[in-house]
Each structure stands twice: as structure tokens, then as C-alpha cells.
Amino acid sequence: MVVIRGGRVVDPGHLDGIYDIYISEGRIVDIAAPSAGAASSPAVTEEIQAAGKIVTPGLIDMHVHLREPGYEYKETIATGCLAAACGGFTAVCPMPNTEPVNDRAEVCRFMISQAAASGVGVRVLPIGAISRDQEGKDLAEFAGLKEAGAVAVSDDGKPVSDDLLMRRAMEYAKGFGLPVISHCEVVSLAAGGAMNEGLASTRLGLAGIPNAAERIMVERDIALCELTGAALHIAHVSARESVRAIREAKKRGVPVTAETAPHFFMLTDEAVGEYDTAAKVNPPLRSEADREAVCEGLADGTIDAIASDHAPHSVMEKEVEFDLAANGISGLETSLALSLSLVRRNLISISRLVEAMSLAPARILGLPGGLAVGGPADITVIDPDMAWRVDAASFRSLGKNTPFDRWELQGKAVLTMVGGRVVYYGLAPGAGRCR
Amino acid sequence: MGGLSTKHILEMASLSCDDITLILDTAVNMKEISRRPVKKVPTLRGKTVVSFFYESSTRTRVSFDLAAKRLSADSVALTAGASSMTKGETLVDTVRNLEVMSPDIIVIRHSSAGAPHLLARHVSLPVINAGDGMHAHPSQALLDLMTVREKKGRIAGLRLAIIGDIARSRVARCNIAGFRKMGASVVVAAPPTMLPFGIDSLGAEVTHSADEAIDGADVIMMLRIQKERLAAHLFSSAREYARTFGLTVERVKRARPDALIMHPGPLNRGVEIAPEVADGPCSVILDQVENGVAVRMALFYLVLGGQRDGGD
């Protein structure tokens, strides 16, 4: 039996206090107030001292790109899992825009088997495609994907532009209990755009992408969600109009959920500076008003979840002309610390953070969540005060593309446990190493 | 006498007023060289200029090339088709390879905004931007400034009207920055489809009426209308554009009597500019082209460490 001793256990709506968590055979067997001075029971074989730390249900990153199969030079499932473990994530959901696209059971099974073969131990819960080859023409095989282990469907990276196809996808997915994750972008409005349409794009002479390119699709999908009653999840919300539309839809009782990514609450389009491709992402970094709206949306629960949209790229795709550069930020290893900065600035509580990074993704994807006696011991231990400096070169991810390189951050996962097994350990001297 | 405060010529915003004045003064001397029977001085003998043109251009490429040759520099001009880009090599790789062959200046024209900035970060050589996407074209703004100063004797206090597709024009962006910096006021006129978000933040007045922009202008700068923009729904027809924004003899009358007519070329006669205006007495379009060589000679000379009056 393993015990995580004396940490502040935060499991929103359930626990917030100093507890010991007992783990045996991969499951939580007890969560108890610490018995001061009491000697350990002989059954305890390992003690993890967590005093001063925050102990949370395992963090889930419901939106990542692991690039395998097809683009293993950018990331493999193994390196992505390592990055996830070090970032405090016990589970990650890779998007289907691989080569081949994860639009059928075989690809889904391959991803899961690669995760197992990696030996890292992080749970990989793939997201299947909405349409075959993500072409937006015909539905992918949702039943097969579901059987193979997919937890949702999405054509992420591309919007489903055909309104009827999106309607049918929602209806069809509903029958299998799969949420539909929407990449909201009106292609004709965004076409050719390399960054947010705003003062910065005007100054830099880059074609801009207006907020309306996102907002219009968010509103369409909300309309289809009302029509079908299916579970709709809006990926990477970046625009204030989208936040407003989602807030209003939730008030009406529409079953819509949403996520945003740390770069949208940390940065604005000014981060592009003098054509820094590390800050090129889709949807693009927006204005200060948008950034603030995203923070508000997170605080009031309009935006349910924080996902990294981890999008690793090689130097080849980023060290090029700005408009030719690939979109994306390698986010798994900075997501938690950036999100903790919201807590430090009193924009959200620690409990809300755990909700956004663990319980909400679990709820949206229909996974077991929280710290339940008898449940799987998926646990993250966070040192909220640990100061560290981002060094992209030392990322476990193959993707070193981040606008946060060299940033001084505070707060880090120091232990990640999946099914009772420690997959990352940074507590002892020599903190930061991976097991 | 000092030299330039900047190593690269990337955009007007990074040049100080002193830099601009130094370049224009130097260009006046250089122009004199082009008018000699023997148009060549040995100033940059032994220096090598490499030009990359990843976007088609005739006048700018020839202008830079002549500028190098008149100062006795060796110049090599590569165009997109001849470069390794078509073989899949990146821009940075191509230039790193050329860098070890020891050229002294890199001139780049590219359809991607910021491409010269990318090079400036990765190579140790001075980089001159010969036009990048919709972003900047500093040598064009400098030759425009030179032409206006030559004809009017000053820049400060003048009123410049720029008419056309402001949103997609590097010439407009650079001239707004350059003329404002040197004390002129700038008004831009275009239909809203051709104005970028927050254009006034660059320091220009904005109007949707060509007549309004031209009223009282000292300088009218017309931008080329690309007819393929029709496909992007920027305007409804060339005929309507000519009627509402084209520079006609009638419209010119709204400007000051001694107003200058400018155009970066190539012209669409009868669309953005009437032939009789383009060829009329107020037109300085060919002066712009002539001054372009002088400005580029000045840039080469100064970027390689030359100082005012230090030439031979």
C-alpha cells in the first residue's frame, strides 16, 4: 500500500483539506484525515510526503496532438506521453489529424497500443474524426471508433463547413454517447489569414483573421446543438463573442461545453512581435479584450475546461516565413504553471482550476473523475510555489515551439500517478527527472 | 559625420529622422553619378551584393542591380525560379549557404511579410528589404520622399493623399510611416474593403472619398489596382473603381495647383489613373524611377559603413 501523506487534497465539490490518500492495487482504498503522530500501518510500503503540496485528481488534457502515426519527427505517442506525465497529466486525448487520419478503429487501436508500448503509463484516449479523412464529406465510422476506444469525435484542425454534415454528425454521435468537438472557423473568412485581424496585423502587413470567423461557427454549432440535443464541445475558444454566445446558450440550457488554452488567457496578438512564429497558432492570439473575456469565461464557468491544444512542430515548420509557418504551440509542459498563474492573480480559485483541468474534461468525455474510494488512483501532486524557468530545449516533447520559452513561472506538477503507478516523480532531490 | 543608426533596412519605422535625412542627402550625390557620361565610381569595388527576388519585379530588381553596378559592387540576382526554394530548401538554409560565400549585403524581395526580418535574425550580414508582402518597401518610401523633397524643397507641412488598396499595400504602409515621420500629414482614401483594421493607428486620416482626400493635397499618390482583387470582392468592377477612385483630370483640380502626381508603378492606365494625368505636367512618376537608383546607391553605400560626404 502506498500513501500520499499530508497534502492539501482538492477535489471540487467533494474534498478540500489535509488528507492522506491510501492506494493499493491501482485504486484509492481510503482518504482519511492524517492521524497525527500515528505510526504507519505495516501494510504501508511507500510513503509520499505531500505536505505543502496540492493533491488533485489526475489532470486530463482533452486536446493534444501527438502526431503519430504520420509525423513522428514532430512528436511520437511516447514522447507526447512523457511530456504529459511531466506536465502533470494522467490522461491525454490526441486529435485525429494524423496520417492516416484517425477515422477508423485500426488507427485508434494503433494509438492506444503505441501508448501501451511506450511504457510511460499515461492514458491515451483518442478522439476520432468526424468525417472520413477529415475531408468534411462523409461521416467516419463512429461505432468502430467508439469500440476501439475513442472518447469523442472531432475534425480538429479543420471546421466541418457543411451544415448538414455537422447536423448529422451530432445526431449520429449522440446515439453512441460520443461528444462532438468542434473546431469553429469559417474558412472563407479566415482564408489566407496568418494572425488575428487587429492593429498588430495592420502594422505587420499580415492578412488577419477576424473574430467573426470563429464566432459565426460557434453560433451555428449552438443552433445545431439546440436542434439535435447532442453533446457539443467547442474547442479552443479565443474570441470574446464566442464566450458570450456560449454563456447565453448555457443559460438557455443548451448542452454545450467549451475549452480554452493557456495561450489565450496569457497572451495577445502583440506576442507576434516582429514575426515570431512561436506565437502563430490557430485560432490566432487575439486582443486584450478577448483575453480578458476568456479569463472571465473561465472564472464563471462559461468555459468549462482548460486544454493545452499541444501542437508540437519541428524547427522546419517554424523557422520559415511567418505566413508559411505551421500553427501551434507545444503546450503540455507549461499548461499547468500558466493556469496556476490565474489562481495566483485571484482570477480563479484552485478548486476551479482543478475543475477545469480534471473534472470538467472527465465529465465532458464521460470518464471517471475525481478522487473516489474504489476509483482508479489517477492523482497529480502539485507544488504551487515551485519557481522554475521554461527551457524549451529541455522539453520532453519533441516540439520546442513555445512563445513562453525563458518565462519565469511558478507552480509545477511534482508527481503524476496513473492507476497507482508513479509516471513522473519530481519531489525528491534531483526533482524534475522522469522515472 | 555619423552613419546610419541601424544595420538593416527593414522598414521605415526603424529609421530615425536623421537616418532618413542622411539617406536622402547621400542619394542626391548619387543621382549626380547616374547623370555622368561614365556612370560608375569605384566606391564599393570588391564588395558583393546578393539579391533574392522571391516575387516577380522588374523595376525594383533592375534598380537595385544598377545601383550596385554604379558603385562597382559585384551583384548577383537570384529569382525564385533559379533558387533552391523550388527544391524544398528553406529560405534560411539558402541564405546561410550563400552567407559562407561571403557576400556583403543581402537584398530581399518576398511575398511573405516579415521574410527580411527572418533573415536579419539568422544572418550576420546587413539585409535590405526590397518589399515584403503587404508589409514594407522602405526603398520605395525613400525614393518617394526624395522625389517630393526635390520638387517641393521640403517634406514637413505637406499634405499627402494616398489612394487605392491601402490594406494590401506595402507602399502605403511605408509611406505613411515615412512621410509622417518627416512632418507631413497623410490622408488615405479607399473603399472600406481596402482599408485595414485600425489604419488610423498608423497615423493617417481616413476617408472613403477620393475627392475628399485630394482636396488641398500637395502630393497625390495613386496605388495600382490589381484586377484579380475583383475575385476577393474588394470592388465591383474596374469601371466603377475608375469612376469612384480613379485619378482624372477633373479630380486633380481639387488638389493644390502645384500638386505632384505619384505612382509606384506599374500603371493601369484608365483604371486608377487616367493616361493624361499619368503623362501630364504634374506627374513625377518617371522621376520616382530615376531617384530609385540613387536611393539604392545611397543605401548600399551607407549600410556598408559609408558616411555622408565620405564618398569619392
Side-chain angles (χ1 to χ4, degrees), chain B residues 217-250:
Chain B
D218 296 289
V219 181
I220 305 167
M221 186 178 287
M222 301 306 295
L223 302 177
R224 173 179 161 77
I225 278 301
Q226 293 175 287
K227 290 176 189 160
E228 57 268 31
R229 296 291 185 206
L230 262 175
H233 317 301
L234 297 184
F235 57 102
S236 40
S237 69
R239 181 183 151 273
E240 181 165 277
Y241 186 86
R243 201 166 54 79
T244 50
F245 286 93
L247 192 60
T248 57
V249 174
E250 268 314 295

Side-chain angles (χ1 to χ4, degrees), chain A residues 197-199 201-208 274-277 316 318-324, chain B residues 11 85 90-92 96 110 112-115 117-118 121-122 134-135 173 196-198 201-202:
Chain A
E197 181 171 309
L199 297 181
S201 67
T202 294
R203 179 176 65 83
L204 294 170
L206 289 167
E274 292 295 326
Y275 305 97
D276 182 0
T277 58
M316 279 195 299
K318 284 290 194 180
E319 206 177 272
V320 296
E321 296 85 328
F322 192 89
D323 53 1
L324 305 179
Chain B
E11 59 200 5
M85 276 296 266
T90 67
L91 177 61
V92 170
R96 276 185 186 143
H110 202 295
S112 293
H117 295 70
L118 176 70
R121 277 199 292 274
H122 284 98
M134 311 185 301
H135 173 236
R173 276 181 181 73
F197 183 93
S201 71
L202 298 183

Side-chain angles (χ1 to χ4, degrees), chain B residues 252-276:
Chain B
V252 171
K253 288 178 185 159
R254 293 174 160 270
R256 288 183 176 272
D258 58 347
L260 304 179
I261 310 295
M262 306 182 86
H263 192 298
L267 309 176
N268 280 313
R269 290 170 191 268
V271 184
E272 73 269 4
I273 191 162
E276 51 274 40

Side-chain angles (χ1 to χ4, degrees), chain B residues 53 57-65 109 130 137 139-140 296:
Chain B
F53 279 76
S57 151
T58 304
R59 84 191 58 207
T60 305
R61 186 163 51 85
V62 170
S63 184
F64 271 105
D65 204 31
R109 152 75 65 105
H137 194 357
S139 62
Q140 176 73 40
R296 285 153 187 146

Side-chain angles (χ1 to χ4, degrees), chain A residues 242-418:
Chain A
S242 309
V243 177
R244 193 177 61 209
I246 295 162
R247 184 178 289 128
E248 286 165 5
K250 284 188 163 184
K251 271 190 198 142
R252 292 199 302 276
V254 180
V256 59
T257 57
E259 78 194 23
T260 191
H263 39 269
F264 294 125
F265 56 73
M266 296 301 292
L267 301 173
T268 67
D269 55 2
E270 292 296 325
V272 171
E274 292 295 326
Y275 305 97
D276 182 0
T277 58
K280 189 179 179 197
V281 64
N282 185 25
L285 300 174
R286 304 282 189 187
S287 70
E288 178 59 18
D290 295 298
R291 194 193 66 78
E292 285 168 10
V294 166
C295 288
E296 280 164 27
L298 266 175
D300 71 10
T302 298
I303 298 176
D304 304 78
I306 296 172
S308 69
D309 193 4
H310 176 70
H313 288 292
S314 80
V315 172
M316 279 195 299
E317 283 99 14
K318 284 290 194 180
E319 206 177 272
V320 296
E321 296 85 328
F322 192 89
D323 53 1
L324 305 179
N327 289 304
I329 290 169
S330 180
L332 276 168
E333 287 161 88
T334 52
S335 184
L336 174 60
L338 295 169
S339 303
L340 278 165
S341 73
L342 296 180
V343 178
R344 238 186 350 277
R345 282 184 280 154
N346 288 319
L347 291 168
I348 63 171
S349 65
I350 185 72
S351 161
R352 176 75 193 101
L353 175 128
V354 175
E355 166 85 24
M357 298 188 78
S358 177
L359 300 196
R363 187 181 70 239
I364 292 163
L365 300 172
L367 308 170
L371 297 170
V373 171
D378 286 12
I379 296 170
T380 302
V381 180
I382 299 164
D383 181 340
D385 301 317
M386 184 190 282
W388 62 289
R389 188 177 205 208
V390 180
D391 175 17
S394 70
F395 274 1
R396 274 71 170 186
S397 169
L398 297 183
K400 316 299 181 191
N401 49 303
T402 172
F404 301 107
D405 197 21
R406 307 280 144 209
W407 278 41
E408 302 284 346
L409 298 179
Q410 207 174 321
K412 206 173 184 316
V414 287
L415 183 135
T416 311
M417 175 184 279
V418 182

Side-chain angles (χ1 to χ4, degrees), chain B residues 71-299:
Chain B
L71 295 174
S72 299
D74 296 312
S75 71
V76 182
L78 298 154
T79 53
S83 82
S84 48
M85 276 296 266
T86 49
K87 296 175 194 162
E89 191 174 68
T90 67
L91 177 61
V92 170
D93 276 338
T94 304
V95 176
R96 276 185 186 143
N97 274 285
L98 275 146
E99 195 181 13
V100 294
M101 298 185 212
S102 306
D104 297 284
I105 292 186
I106 291 178
V107 176
I108 177 163
R109 152 75 65 105
H110 202 295
S111 55
S112 293
H117 295 70
L118 176 70
L119 286 192
R121 277 199 292 274
H122 284 98
V123 301
S124 56
L125 301 171
V127 175
I128 296 180
N129 181 1
D132 62 327
M134 311 185 301
H135 173 236
H137 194 357
S139 62
Q140 176 73 40
L142 289 163
L143 72 87
D144 290 339
L145 283 165
M146 179 182 179
T147 307
V148 172
R149 198 179 72 161
E150 189 178 74
K151 301 289 178 188
K152 295 279 185 194
R154 67 191 167 107
I155 305 289
L158 297 179
R159 182 167 177 78
L160 166 69
I162 308 178
I163 299 167
D165 189 354
I166 309 298
R168 287 151 202 85
S169 173
R170 55 192 171 214
V171 173
R173 276 181 181 73
C174 244
N175 272 306
I176 294 170
F179 277 82
R180 290 275 300 144
K181 190 166 258 185
M182 301 309 282
S185 65
V186 181
V187 55
V188 298
T193 47
M194 295 181 179
L195 289 167
F197 183 93
I199 176 71
D200 48 326
S201 71
L202 298 183
E205 286 171 51
V206 182
T207 169
H208 305 311
S209 154
D211 289 342
E212 208 174 284
I214 291 168
D215 276 335
D218 296 289
V219 181
I220 305 167
M221 186 178 287
M222 301 306 295
L223 302 177
R224 173 179 161 77
I225 278 301
Q226 293 175 287
K227 290 176 189 160
E228 57 268 31
R229 296 291 185 206
L230 262 175
H233 317 301
L234 297 184
F235 57 102
S236 40
S237 69
R239 181 183 151 273
E240 181 165 277
Y241 186 86
R243 201 166 54 79
T244 50
F245 286 93
L247 192 60
T248 57
V249 174
E250 268 314 295
R251 215 163 243 155
V252 171
K253 288 178 185 159
R254 293 174 160 270
R256 288 183 176 272
D258 58 347
L260 304 179
I261 310 295
M262 306 182 86
H263 192 298
L267 309 176
N268 280 313
R269 290 170 191 268
V271 184
E272 73 269 4
I273 191 162
E276 51 274 40
V277 175
D279 304 327
C282 297
S283 169
V284 294
I285 294 169
L286 292 174
D287 300 82
Q288 289 174 269
V289 178
E290 184 186 10
N291 287 339
V293 178
V295 156
R296 285 153 187 146
M297 290 168 76
L299 288 176

